[in-house]
Amino acid sequence: MKLYDGGRAPNPRRVRIFLAEKGVEVPLVPVDMGALGHRSAEVTALNPMQRLPVLELNDGTVITESVAISRYFEEIYPEPALFGRGAVGKALVEMWQRRVELHLFASVAAAFRHIHPAMIEWEVPQIPAWGEANKPKALAFLDILDRQLATSAFIAGDDYSIADITGLVAIDFFKPARIEMPGHVTHVKRWYDAVASRPSAKA
Amino acid sequence: MKLYDGGRAPNPRRVRIFLAEKGVEVPLVPVDMGALGHRSAEVTALNPMQRLPVLELNDGTVITESVAISRYFEEIYPEPALFGRGAVGKALVEMWQRRVELHLFASVAAAFRHIHPAMIEWEVPQIPAWGEANKPKALAFLDILDRQLATSAFIAGDDYSIADITGLVAIDFFKPARIEMPGHVTHVKRWYDAVASRPSAKA
């Protein structure tokens, strides 16, 4: 199998961190997203959405979407469990993964894509008012996350999970999105320091 | 257990269809979203995101997010499998569920929430230009979906899955979002007629 990778972009990093936490190595095919390599004929033939990463299995099966690729590896390498254990545990990881993705990750991405001049060819049309409207959405979710992390080691409970990966990658994107981390979310900061210092964060 | 339900809104309907396909009955607690009941103190205490549906288990555990609630029921009632079978099957359902949710369901919802006058208290600030920008995004995804459905009975393959539920609910929201179904997506229409005529679609 091989993983078409997109370097610094958030979604490719989510899968690389997931694989590092699993201790799994997959051959990477680097794609230069800065040169719009994700819109090449080769990538488009694999993924009509023109997005990375893309996992190609040995039989030619193509899996896209960072969370779907991660779930494939969860199924074939179940330990450590990063999607939760048991019906309630799996549901709570999915709940927090979605909350973090839809209310933090997506808001940070929208702020970046709709405001940053480098994104003018990526996001058509850029709507700066929509980018600005997403900054307070991201900050409002941080308050909810701070209350959760006041009583929880990781986002979805006692164990590190895919929700933490989505959260880490989202917060590392605050800087390019020009969102400042507020001072009062002390539980988020304690959690961030913990997840950012894991070896997987360098992936 | 009980399910706080939100009537005609898309996310509550996703879970009701999922339960109907499973043949599972769960006591519903109706919440009047038209009267902003999802922002009541009762719902906010259960779900700080102020969204429906919300599943409350007998031990007080709260699960929110339609896909997370659905996954809980998939775990406790595995048949019929609506999240796929096997590592590849589960990954492909997750891939298509996400593609349909992020590129069709979310686009239709944004068009509705940012343009419709009834949504002015729901989506603050309403940005009509962002609503309009989402209509072509939804239509562009229909073309990709049409190519998939040219060779596939259901969205994620041979079997009905949660991706079909998300797709059905998204397309049924075209009308309030004032998006017209184009004439040329004949495979989407064949699929739509099949899924909309299942008894679960009335849920």
Side-chain angles (χ1 to χ4, degrees), chain B residues 48-71:
Chain B
M49 307 310 305
Q50 300 184 313
R51 294 185 180 224
L52 293 170
V54 170
L55 180 68
E56 188 175 10
L57 304 183
N58 291 339
D59 70 357
T61 301
V62 171
I63 302 169
T64 74
E65 289 294 330
S66 53
V67 177
I69 294 170
S70 298
R71 193 173 298 275

Side-chain angles (χ1 to χ4, degrees), chain A residues 63-81:
Chain A
I63 302 169
T64 74
E65 289 294 330
S66 54
V67 177
I69 294 170
S70 298
R71 192 172 298 276
Y72 173 76
F73 287 111
E74 179 87 352
E75 290 290 322
I76 59 174
Y77 302 109
E79 297 296 333

Side-chain angles (χ1 to χ4, degrees), chain B residues 99-121:
Chain B
R99 282 179 168 177
V100 174
E101 176 160 328
L102 299 175
H103 301 286
L104 188 67
F105 188 92
S107 297
V108 176
F112 179 69
R113 292 175 67 105
H114 283 276
I115 296 171
H116 200 290
M119 289 290 105
I120 196 152
E121 283 187 73

Side-chain angles (χ1 to χ4, degrees), chain A residues 11 14 46-49 51 57 61-69 71-72 75-76 83 86-88 90-92 94-99 101-103 114 123-125 127 129-131 133 137 141 144 147, chain B residues 11 14 46-49 51 57 61-69 71-72 75-76 83 86-88 90-92 94-99 101-103 114 123-125 127 129-131 133 137 141 144 147:
Chain A
N11 279 309
R14 289 165 85 180
L46 295 167
N47 182 9
M49 308 308 304
R51 296 189 178 218
L57 303 183
T61 301
V62 171
I63 302 169
T64 74
E65 289 294 330
S66 54
V67 177
I69 294 170
R71 192 172 298 276
Y72 173 76
E75 290 290 322
I76 59 174
F83 279 92
V88 171
K90 287 179 184 178
L92 292 178
E94 181 116 21
M95 176 181 88
W96 279 105
Q97 144 60 27
R98 287 176 60 86
R99 283 178 168 178
E101 176 161 328
L102 299 174
H103 300 286
H114 284 276
E123 189 65 46
V124 181
I127 300 173
W130 174 239
K137 288 180 200 289
F141 183 76
I144 287 169
R147 288 203 289 280
Chain B
N11 279 308
R14 289 164 86 180
L46 295 166
N47 182 8
M49 307 310 305
R51 294 185 180 224
L57 304 183
T61 301
V62 171
I63 302 169
T64 74
E65 289 294 330
S66 53
V67 177
I69 294 170
R71 193 173 298 275
Y72 173 75
E75 289 290 321
I76 58 174
F83 279 93
V88 171
K90 287 178 183 178
L92 292 178
E94 181 116 22
M95 175 181 89
W96 278 106
Q97 145 59 26
R98 287 177 60 87
R99 282 179 168 177
E101 176 160 328
L102 299 175
H103 301 286
H114 283 276
E123 188 66 47
V124 181
I127 300 174
W130 174 239
K137 289 181 200 287
F141 183 77
I144 287 169
R147 288 202 290 279

